[in-house]
Amino acid sequence: MTDLEVVARGMVGGGRSFEQLRCHPRLPLVACSDSERPAVHIWDYGTGQLRELGSVCFTSNAYGDALGWERAERTPAVAWHPDQPLLVVAGEDGLRQWTPAGISEPEGAPAFATYRSLAFSPDGQTLWASPSFRDEGDGWESSDVLDLAAGTIGAGPRWDTGVAQHPGGGLVATLSSDQGATHCLFARVDQGTAPAMMRPLRRALILDCDGYETPLFSPDGRHLAVRGNAYGNSVEVFELPSLRRVLATTLGDPSPGYPYSQEWLDQMRAWSRHNLAFGARPGVLWIATPAGALVEVDLETRQAVEHDVLTGSRLSALAATATGELLVAGSRGDLLLLSLLSGSTQNRTANRDTSRDAAAAFLETTAEVPDDGNDLETHLVLTDGTRTWEADDLATTTAASSTDPTWLQLQAAMNAAQAQCE
């Protein structure tokens, strides 16, 4: 069990709280998404203190009763530069850029593009954005690749939910969502080229339904966690390079099916959608709860230990810092920096070597999708963490049970119907 120590405590003014925390990958900075309105607040947690540095605000209209997709469409997307104290924010009024010097419009980027997801390339020279601003028809079918130095916008692969960079380098993960199923796609990243491109790989995860959050790699690169989905508070963790599922659980009661009870809907809303973090210690996942506690889950033994953090306050967001601490936000405006007293310095050093090996091992098990592979799904080798399907397998399967994922039942039914018509 890990001992926790409160290093610093802050209080958000004006009755606000934070619903998402995005830590800078190297610097002691965190972008905090406002729970009441489309705004992002930047805090510094260095020198053992928590202090607010500035905010990026869009229209002043509060979220009010907006829920689900209506709320998601108004929530700003953020991306930290990998090295510099620079945050790009996309909201309903376009793109903004924060630095310690102030707020401006990013050079080389379309000021009024309504992107829903942003990510910097590992070298910081390219901004990846989705959905495409270039495509006036269906922007969700592709993404934009913004070369910030040259001021050009090119075409990128389809993705829609964040980009997670593997700590070992050269590998990223993102999501391509559909109502029936979501693909967790892996991609090789071009090194030393401008603009940097994501090159989709054949091996991919398939997740039931849609509505997931950005995937999360562990610091040692050996695990990937996915939080979702639209119909339940699920958590799944997969091992790399095997993609074997090592944890699948539901937070709270499982979905009762439509029509949903008010009690179950309230439970869904009580659980934060951004409540997962990996600390520096390998093989441990942290989960923030509505009861004000952090749950420490050992992925090997499946043992869970609960740590009381905020009495009487729901934990509304959780994130891990670049140096291995945890940042926790509470629904009453608390912001806490927690130290994990478990040899984190030694863990971080070991994690660097392990993560490089994990990324290299995964890349050796797969290949890039051909450049002319316009129909991506026909090239994917899919796994749900327990079974694997080649594209041809899914095109011909006609058998599925009630215990199979929804997407597989639908695929089998469509194949069976098509076979009867031939």
Side-chain angles (χ1 to χ4, degrees), residues 96-356:
R96 301 290 185 271
Q97 174 179 286
W98 175 91
T99 68
I103 300 171
S104 60
E105 294 182 357
E107 294 185 9
F112 298 102
T114 53
Y115 293 125
R116 301 304 317 132
S117 290
L118 299 173
F120 272 99
S121 63
D123 63 8
Q125 300 302 308
T126 305
L127 187 66
W128 298 322
S130 176
S132 173
F133 181 68
R134 301 168 298 98
D135 191 342
E136 297 181 358
D138 190 354
W140 291 108
E141 292 303 313
S142 64
S143 62
D144 286 350
V145 178
L146 286 69
D147 186 329
L148 300 178
T152 60
I153 305 177
R158 175 186 174 184
W159 62 275
D160 55 55
T161 307
V163 176
Q165 296 192 18
H166 192 282
L171 177 68
V172 299
T174 184
L175 301 183
S176 177
S177 307
D178 203 346
Q179 189 171 10
T182 293
H183 291 147
C184 179
L185 302 174
F186 298 91
R188 187 192 305 271
V189 181
D190 285 343
Q191 302 289 337
T193 61
M197 296 293 293
M198 285 190 283
R199 306 293 183 185
L201 301 170
R202 293 194 65 209
R203 292 186 67 196
L205 288 167
I206 187 164
L207 309 168
D208 208 13
C209 306
D210 61 353
Y212 292 89
E213 304 299 328
T214 304
L216 180 67
F217 283 112
S218 62
D220 66 355
R222 294 177 52 247
H223 292 100
L224 176 77
V226 184
R227 175 76 168 90
N229 53 43
Y231 309 101
N233 284 310
S234 66
V235 176
E236 293 181 271
V237 181
F238 302 88
E239 185 180 65
L240 269 73
S242 69
L243 294 185
R244 179 177 65 91
R245 189 171 62 194
V246 296
L247 178 69
T249 189
T250 300
L251 307 178
D253 296 329
S255 170
Y258 188 82
Y260 306 121
S261 68
Q262 188 60 49
E263 181 180 3
W264 185 79
L265 290 172
D266 291 342
Q267 174 189 264
M268 279 281 291
R269 297 183 186 115
W271 282 97
S272 167
R273 299 290 294 184
H274 307 282
N275 68 332
L276 302 184
F278 286 104
R281 180 184 163 199
V284 173
L285 178 70
W286 294 87
I287 303 174
T289 74
L294 284 177
V295 178
E296 177 185 6
V297 182
D298 187 308
L299 296 176
E300 182 176 353
T301 65
R302 308 292 182 88
Q303 292 182 330
V305 179
E306 196 169 287
H307 302 262
D308 292 328
V309 175
L310 284 174
T311 303
S313 178
R314 179 176 66 89
L315 298 188
S316 58
L318 172 66
T321 72
T323 49
E325 295 90 5
L326 296 178
L327 271 170
V328 180
S331 58
R332 294 185 178 179
D334 301 275
L335 185 63
L336 272 64
L337 178 64
L338 304 174
S339 175
L340 283 64
L341 305 177
S342 59
S344 59
T345 301
Q346 294 91 330
N347 286 330
R348 290 198 302 273
T349 301
N351 285 342
R352 285 195 291 269
D353 294 334
T354 304
S355 65
R356 285 193 292 267

Side-chain angles (χ1 to χ4, degrees), residues 370-386:
D371 288 337
D372 59 352
N374 294 326
D375 190 355
L376 179 65
E377 293 186 23
T378 63
H379 297 277
L380 296 180
V381 179
L382 299 171
T383 180
D384 63 358
T386 58

Side-chain angles (χ1 to χ4, degrees), residues 12 16-35 37-45 50-58 75-81 84-90 96-99 118 120 274 316-322 327-329 335:
V12 184
R16 295 175 292 146
S17 61
F18 298 141
E19 65 180 10
Q20 184 175 8
L21 304 173
R22 293 287 297 274
C23 292
H24 191 284
R26 288 182 175 82
L27 303 175
L29 300 172
V30 58
C32 311
S33 299
D34 198 303
S35 63
R37 63 188 67 253
V40 177
H41 310 280
I42 297 88
W43 284 61
D44 183 294
Y45 56 85
L50 283 163
R51 59 191 181 97
E52 187 170 1
L53 301 180
S55 298
V56 179
C57 303
F58 292 92
T75 302
V78 303
W80 280 112
H81 189 280
Q84 303 172 16
L86 185 157
L87 180 76
V88 176
V89 185
R96 301 290 185 271
Q97 174 179 286
W98 175 91
T99 68
L118 299 173
F120 272 99
H274 307 282
S316 58
L318 172 66
T321 72
L327 271 170
V328 180
L335 185 63

